Amino acid sequence: MNIELRHLRYFIAVAEELHFGHAAARLNISQPPLSQQIQILEQQVGARLLARTNRSVSLTPAGRQFLADSRQILNQVDEAAARALRLHQGETGELRIGFTSSAPFIKAVSDTLSSFRQRYPDVHIQTREINTREQIAPLNEGTLDLGLMRNTPLPETLAWEVILREPLLAMVPRNHPLATRTAVSLHELAQEPFVFFDPHVGTGLYDDILSLMRRYQLTPRIAQEVGEAMTIIGLVAAGLGVSILPASFHRVQLSEMCWIPIVEEDAVSEMWLVWSKHQEQGAAAARFKQQLLDMANG
């Protein structure tokens, strides 16, 4: 059996018009080839679909059933093509994004997520909060489409662009002597008990901030090591020490602690958008990437 879609379209036209001449005009073909193709179709099916006389054309019982099925088949083909096109254009599908805990606090990121969700509601956005170092493997393997991470050494297999360069801020308890200052130096912070990330967690901020300290030959007196930035904020508010975090976290305001600018001009941190050079990227990921870069650079 070798039934083509055009055979179904020819048959539907004849079945709806019940007139070969009218159906041929509708299909923009001549009548003899149309009659020939209907005969070929009936041979393929093995049943008479149309009852013909010199004056009329009518559907046989088999023809009525074949007409209903043919319409359904063509509808399914049209729907399949539409779904494929929407997926190709990035209007459906899945978008898998990894991000560090600070990424949602960045306005360009939160605005892009919101606008992308409104514009492409049929794209399933799967987000994973995962630290910088732990994003590298899934990006390489293709289980993440995009990663939002702090600047860190990356393998040659990954590409990246900066979406934000922001100042680092000091955090001190509200009753701390430094709390009245309009700015503090890294040297002053290094003298205080420091609440910081556990080195085994793999956050990019760990390397970022310690590298900054080393540039000034400073080593912080780490009193508490934790896994999450929000835990650092909570422990500083509880009076267990001071710390440093990017300005994105300034949105978190607690009455027991305060944020203070740092004197050193190179006390900055970058947020990167990262993707694989070798994994094929879907249209939804490409759209999101471009939208975020436009938002960040606008």
Side-chain angles (χ1 to χ4, degrees):
M1 186 177 292
N2 186 27
I3 298 175
E4 302 176 18
L5 291 181
R6 65 189 178 97
H7 291 142
L8 302 185
R9 294 190 177 95
Y10 291 168
F11 172 73
I12 290 172
V14 175
E16 291 178 347
E17 298 290 342
L18 293 177
H19 191 286
F20 275 86
H22 295 167
R26 170 174 155 182
L27 294 166
N28 199 29
I29 62 175
S30 60
Q31 183 172 332
L34 175 58
S35 299
Q36 184 182 24
Q37 291 301 317
I38 294 298
Q39 289 174 2
I40 292 172
L41 174 62
E42 289 179 320
Q43 291 170 6
Q44 291 286 328
V45 173
R48 194 162 61 112
L49 303 176
L50 296 167
R52 308 167 182 83
T53 69
N54 290 333
R55 295 186 176 183
S56 68
V57 176
S58 61
L59 288 166
T60 65
R64 284 192 291 272
Q65 181 62 56
F66 195 76
L67 174 61
D69 292 339
S70 295
R71 285 170 171 162
Q72 184 177 3
I73 290 168
L74 291 184
N75 283 337
Q76 289 176 338
V77 170
D78 290 342
E79 290 169 0
R83 286 193 295 269
L85 178 61
R86 294 190 70 206
L87 184 61
H88 174 72
Q89 293 177 337
E91 297 174 3
T92 62
E94 186 173 61
L95 173 58
R96 302 159 302 177
I97 305 174
F99 61 87
T100 63
S101 59
S102 59
F105 291 96
I106 296 172
K107 191 174 186 302
V109 173
S110 59
D111 286 353
T112 301
L113 282 168
S114 177
S115 62
F116 191 87
R117 164 58 62 211
Q118 293 175 11
R119 188 171 181 182
Y120 306 108
D122 293 329
V123 174
H124 176 242
I125 302 177
Q126 179 185 2
T127 57
R128 289 173 58 190
E129 183 177 345
I130 182 171
N131 65 53
T132 291
R133 292 179 202 163
E134 291 178 347
Q135 290 187 46
I136 293 174
L139 284 168
N140 273 325
E141 295 162 1
T143 55
L144 282 179
D145 299 307
L146 299 169
L148 289 161
M149 63 179 71
R150 293 287 167 180
N151 46 309
T152 195
L154 293 177
E156 290 293 326
T157 53
L158 298 180
W160 55 274
E161 285 200 36
V162 177
I163 64 166
L164 179 69
R165 192 171 188 269
E166 60 179 338
L168 294 168
L169 298 178
M171 301 157 23
V172 301
R174 183 70 63 181
N175 59 0
H176 193 280
L178 293 175
T180 59
R181 301 280 296 278
T182 57
V184 296
S185 68
L186 292 173
H187 183 269
E188 291 171 304
L189 294 171
Q191 309 310 308
E192 302 292 330
F194 213 79
V195 183
F196 204 43
F197 293 100
D198 186 319
H200 302 294
V201 171
T203 174
L205 283 172
Y206 179 88
D207 296 329
D208 216 8
I209 295 171
L210 282 190
S211 295
L212 173 66
M213 292 283 201
R214 291 192 193 103
R215 287 202 293 271
Y216 291 91
Q217 291 79 50
L218 298 172
T219 302
R221 295 196 298 117
I222 298 176
Q224 302 286 331
E225 292 182 342
V226 299
E228 301 290 340
M230 295 304 293
T231 307
I232 292 177
I233 294 173
L235 293 180
V236 171
L240 272 66
V242 303
S243 193
I244 297 173
L245 283 177
S248 301
F249 286 103
H250 188 260
R251 292 189 181 187
V252 181
Q253 294 289 340
L254 300 177
S255 59
E256 298 88 356
M257 58 153 285
C258 58
W259 300 89
I260 305 174
I262 295 174
V263 172
E264 286 79 4
E265 292 184 358
D266 59 342
V268 296
S269 179
E270 293 178 348
M271 178 66 73
W272 292 355
L273 179 63
V274 183
W275 61 93
S276 171
K277 294 179 182 178
H278 306 297
Q279 295 290 340
E280 184 176 357
Q281 195 169 70
R287 281 182 182 273
F288 185 91
K289 178 175 74 174
Q290 191 57 54
Q291 192 170 327
L292 177 53
L293 293 174
D294 290 344
M295 187 82 70
N297 296 326

